[in-house]
């Protein structure tokens, strides 16, 4: 933090230096990589949710089938 209140240099954090291409509006490779990584993560989360839902549905169906079969045998 700055030593005095009159000199606020560095208080707001640092900004990334922009390349000429970024200054002209052509995005960087870093942004594309971040987007690709985010897309992969979203796809993985979607697959995991689908598997969890399918597994929960099969266990629920198996449990309800066992509960219906038990009273009939007694």
């Amino acid at each position: 933090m700055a030593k005095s209140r009159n000199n606020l240099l560095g208080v707001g954090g640092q900004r990334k230096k922009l390349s000429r291409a970024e200054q002209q509006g052509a995005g960087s490779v870093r942004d594309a990589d971040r987007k690709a990584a985010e897309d992969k993560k979203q796809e993985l989360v979607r697959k995991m949710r689908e598997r969890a839902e399918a597994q929960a549905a099969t266990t629920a169906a198996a449990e309800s089938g066992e509960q219906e079969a038990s009273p009939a045998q007694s």
Side-chain angles (χ1 to χ4, degrees):
M1 193 165 156
K3 289 185 176 181
S4 68
R5 294 183 188 262
N6 294 333
N7 182 11
L8 296 176
L9 180 65
V11 172
Q14 295 180 351
R15 293 187 181 180
K16 183 176 71 95
K17 301 264 186 192
L18 295 176
S19 68
R20 288 186 181 188
E22 289 172 334
Q23 289 175 357
Q24 294 173 358
S28 69
V29 175
R30 184 182 325 171
D31 293 336
D33 289 342
R34 285 184 189 156
K35 183 161 176 51
E38 182 67 25
D39 291 343
K40 286 180 184 178
K41 182 179 175 183
Q42 293 296 327
E43 183 67 19
L44 179 63
V45 168
R46 184 186 62 80
K47 286 180 182 179
M48 290 175 67
R49 283 186 183 149
E50 287 177 355
R51 288 179 187 162
E53 289 172 358
Q55 188 177 14
T58 55
T59 24
E63 288 177 359
S64 65
E66 290 174 3
Q67 290 175 356
E68 290 176 6
S70 302
Q73 292 175 354
S74 318

